[in-house]
Amino acid sequence: MKMTDKMSKGIKMKKEAVILALLLPVLPLTAQPQRLTLDDCREMALKADKDLQQARTRIEMAGYDRKIALANYFPTVSATGAYLYNNRDIALVEEFQSSMLQSAGSIMQGVMEGAAASMEEQISGAMSQAMTGTMTQLMTAIQTNPALAQEYMSSPMWQTVLGMLQKMDPSSLVQLQLPDISEPVNAIGADIDKALHPDLHNIWIGAVTVQQPVFVGGKILYSNKMAAWGEDLAQSKYDLEEAQVVLDVEQAYWQIVSIAGKKRLSESYADLLHTLESDVNASVKAGVMTESDALQIKVKANEADMLRTKATNGLTLAKMLLCQRIGLPLDSDIELADEHLDMVPLPECPRDKSLDDIYADRPETRSLELASRIYDAKAKVIRADGLPKVALTANWLVSNPNPYNGIQNTWNGGMLSAGVMVNIPLFHGLENTNKYRKARAEASLYRTQLEDAKEKIELQVTRERKTYGEALEKLSMAQAHLASAEENLRTATIGFEAGVISTSTVLSAQTTWLSAHSDCLDAGTELQMAAAALRKAEGMK
């Protein structure tokens, strides 16, 4: 029976082992925290900071402004198109003159026919008179010559000729044949009248214009300088915000390192006190120590547990602040590269810099100097508005109707025109003068602010250097105090184990060691922060 129970138990254990082996690959692995160095935190903060993103956008905008100002050196080319509708047409002649032109052929035909009739009447009368006189002269000549008179007057043929002459109508001999010109001349007049009534109801115009500035009083030159300095100014403002972001991240980083060290310190202290509490309780049971000693140790152990809890919560909050600065979710599990160090490492010693180099590297002084330059150039730009301006211009114009060969409803072949434009401002209530004076005053204001900023920077650098020196000295003293506290704790522990030192003395030694170790962590953190502040004050990245 016992063997059966053992066998069933063995089979059951094997089944459980097999099930556990099958489930192990399915069980999720514990997520590893994201390890970050100080350089990683800096880079992530520079990418995630919203103010820096806006500053980068302002730099981009300033670059576009510089390109816009550069475009003023080049000619301006524009194309223009227009359409105009007129509800009334234009007439170059009166309505009476228009009707005269349209019936010019009929009028001319009537005048010509009247003139021809008058000419026929005059010619007919003249011919009648001429024939009568001729007949009279002929008859007289015949009658004065008896031989001719006898021969012709008695001749039948002559009698017949005389009879025909006497019956002839001179007007029938004059027949003027005039062509009919009314229709062609009317058509010509209608064409002329149409030309004098151009169809201007629909007007189309197209033009290509080119303008090249030649002289504008230096406005283009100083505008380009202003745009270039504006881009440098945007970069200086970015550098200022970048330095502040780097300082904040470094302070948050070393704050976490300090709190993590204190957390480990509180855990070690709590473990030490709990161990001591166990030993004291054993001694109390053995009758070597009293209940008072045990209660004293227990109170200190409880205080150590509370200190550990505070350090844990403080570390969590500090990491959340760092995650917010570097753009990670607040609940991200991160681990800093220096988080597990027992002591905060020493920072790189900042090199000494002259004040002139500091002024050149500080974004504030660069910004104020660039601002004064910009307003000096602005004053010159405003002054250029009061100077003459010269520009070359050329135009290519096409239109419909075409005015170059009469006025025709067709597109013309285009017309090129070129010339020089000169603009001379004369008077506008002293507006430019007052603007110029205002810009000069603003430039003077920024120069004054620059001098004030240099004085404040000098004071800041002096203060940060002294703060760094004090933090370095404080760290040295804290390290010496920690060495003494560790030696004191070591001897107190040996004496307590030997039974020659009281519990209160051991607790005092442990408290002193904890305080010294905590002071050493604070001094190291303070030195790191002082070094970061000094680098920022001296304009170093």
Side-chain angles (χ1 to χ4, degrees):
M1 186 70 180
K2 292 182 179 179
M3 290 294 295
T4 306
D5 293 340
K6 289 182 179 179
M7 290 178 64
S8 63
K9 288 182 180 179
I11 294 172
K12 184 178 180 180
M13 291 178 62
K14 289 181 179 180
K15 288 182 178 179
E16 291 177 352
V18 172
I19 294 173
L20 182 61
L22 293 174
L23 290 177
L24 278 177
V26 183
L27 296 177
L29 299 177
T30 304
Q32 296 296 323
Q34 184 177 358
R35 183 177 177 82
L36 299 174
T37 64
L38 180 58
D39 292 336
D40 294 335
C41 293
R42 287 174 183 165
E43 293 178 2
M44 295 173 68
L46 295 178
K47 292 179 180 179
D49 190 80
K50 298 297 186 296
D51 292 334
L52 286 179
Q53 292 177 6
Q54 296 176 13
R56 284 191 285 268
T57 303
R58 285 192 288 269
I59 293 175
E60 183 180 2
M61 293 166 59
Y64 291 137
D65 288 336
R66 178 178 55 81
K67 294 178 181 179
I68 291 171
L70 182 64
N72 291 326
Y73 282 113
F74 299 97
T76 301
V77 182
S78 61
T80 304
Y83 167 75
L84 181 64
Y85 172 75
N86 299 308
N87 67 333
R88 297 185 63 183
D89 201 0
I90 296 176
L92 303 180
V93 293
E94 299 178 354
E95 293 183 2
F96 173 74
Q97 295 173 334
S98 176
S99 62
M100 292 282 291
L101 284 171
Q102 294 179 6
S103 59
S106 301
I107 295 173
M108 290 178 64
Q109 184 70 29
V111 172
M112 290 176 61
E113 290 178 353
S118 177
M119 290 177 62
E120 287 179 359
E121 184 178 353
Q122 292 177 5
I123 294 173
S124 175
M127 289 181 65
S128 177
Q129 293 178 3
M131 289 178 64
T132 304
T134 302
M135 289 295 296
T136 303
Q137 292 177 3
L138 180 59
M139 293 298 294
T140 303
I142 292 174
Q143 291 175 2
T144 56
N145 190 342
L148 289 174
Q150 183 65 31
E151 181 179 355
Y152 287 100
M153 291 301 289
S154 59
S155 172
M157 184 185 65
W158 180 247
Q159 293 297 324
T160 302
V161 171
L162 288 177
M164 291 177 64
L165 289 174
Q166 290 175 354
K167 295 178 178 180
M168 184 179 295
D169 185 3
S171 61
S172 63
L173 299 177
V174 182
Q175 295 290 334
L176 295 178
Q177 299 295 327
L178 297 178
D180 187 3
I181 64 171
S182 59
E183 292 185 3
V185 174
N186 283 342
I188 295 173
D191 290 339
I192 297 173
D193 180 68
K194 183 178 179 181
L196 295 175
H197 288 78
D199 184 8
L200 299 182
H201 288 293
N202 300 285
I203 298 177
W204 304 82
I205 298 175
V208 177
T209 304
V210 180
Q211 288 186 348
Q212 173 63 53
V214 178
F215 176 76
V216 289
K219 186 173 183 178
I220 297 178
L221 174 64
Y222 291 112
S223 295
N224 276 269
K225 289 184 177 181
M226 287 175 59
W229 290 334
E231 188 175 10
D232 294 339
L233 180 60
Q235 182 65 50
S236 296
K237 292 182 178 179
Y238 174 84
D239 293 340
L240 179 61
E241 295 181 5
E242 181 186 28
Q244 187 61 45
V245 169
V246 170
L247 177 61
D248 293 341
V249 169
E250 289 188 1
Q251 290 178 346
Y253 182 91
W254 294 117
Q255 189 70 30
I256 292 175
V257 173
S258 176
I259 295 175
K262 290 183 178 180
K263 178 177 177 293
R264 291 193 305 274
L265 187 62
S266 63
E267 291 173 349
S268 300
Y269 181 58
D271 293 340
L272 180 63
L273 286 176
H274 284 298
T275 302
L276 184 60
E277 181 184 8
S278 178
D279 294 341
V280 170
N281 289 333
S283 299
V284 169
K285 290 180 181 180
V288 179
M289 302 185 70
T290 64
E291 290 288 342
S292 177
D293 294 331
L295 290 175
Q296 189 177 8
I297 294 296
K298 187 175 183 179
V299 170
K300 288 293 184 180
N302 291 336
E303 290 178 354
D305 290 336
M306 182 60 67
L307 184 63
R308 178 170 55 187
T309 301
K310 289 182 177 179
T312 302
N313 294 335
L315 181 62
T316 301
L317 293 175
K319 286 187 176 182
M320 290 177 67
L321 176 61
L322 181 61
C323 288
Q324 187 270 332
R325 293 189 184 279
I326 63 178
L328 292 178
L330 297 182
D331 57 350
S332 299
D333 187 11
I334 61 174
E335 179 183 301
L336 304 186
D338 300 317
E339 184 176 339
H340 298 287
L341 297 179
D342 292 333
M343 291 295 173
V344 178
L346 292 176
E348 182 180 355
C349 182
R351 60 184 179 87
D352 292 335
K353 293 178 64 177
S354 64
L355 285 176
D356 291 336
D357 292 337
I358 292 174
Y359 295 152
D361 292 338
R362 282 291 291 263
E364 298 93 329
T365 53
R366 292 204 311 270
S367 297
L368 291 172
E369 185 175 357
L370 288 169
S372 63
R373 291 181 185 177
I374 289 173
Y375 277 96
D376 280 333
K378 181 180 177 181
K380 294 177 181 178
V381 169
I382 294 173
R383 184 182 61 184
D385 290 335
L387 299 177
K389 301 173 183 60
V390 181
L392 300 178
T393 181
N395 298 276
W396 180 264
L397 179 67
V398 293
S399 65
N400 185 355
N402 182 1
Y404 302 119
N405 188 15
I407 300 180
Q408 303 175 7
N409 293 112
T410 58
W411 289 97
N412 58 44
M415 180 184 70
L416 176 66
S417 60
V420 180
M421 294 189 302
V422 179
N423 177 269
I424 303 176
L426 297 178
F427 180 75
H428 193 248
L430 299 178
E431 178 185 8
N432 286 337
T433 302
N434 292 323
K435 285 184 178 180
Y436 175 76
R437 291 174 179 173
K438 178 184 176 182
R440 296 288 295 174
E442 288 173 333
S444 176
L445 176 64
Y446 279 104
R447 282 192 293 268
T448 305
Q449 291 180 359
L450 176 61
E451 296 300 324
D452 182 60
K454 287 182 177 180
E455 294 177 0
K456 292 180 179 179
I457 288 173
E458 183 178 0
L459 291 174
Q460 183 185 15
V461 170
T462 303
R463 184 182 71 246
E464 296 298 339
R465 284 176 177 175
K466 290 186 177 297
T467 302
Y468 178 79
E470 292 174 358
L472 190 61
E473 185 178 356
K474 184 177 180 179
L475 177 62
S476 178
M477 295 173 63
Q479 289 174 343
H481 181 57
L482 177 60
S484 300
E486 287 178 345
E487 180 63 21
N488 183 35
L489 178 61
R490 187 184 68 81
T491 56
T493 302
I494 293 174
F496 177 76
E497 292 175 353
V500 296
I501 292 179
S502 64
T503 305
S504 60
T505 302
V506 174
L507 290 176
S508 177
Q510 290 176 346
T511 303
T512 302
W513 172 84
L514 177 65
S515 176
H517 211 300
S518 178
D519 290 343
C520 196
L521 286 172
D522 290 339
T525 304
E526 185 178 344
L527 182 61
Q528 284 284 0
M529 292 183 177
L534 180 57
R535 287 195 297 270
K536 179 178 180 293
E538 292 185 348
M540 294 186 295
K541 296 183 179 180

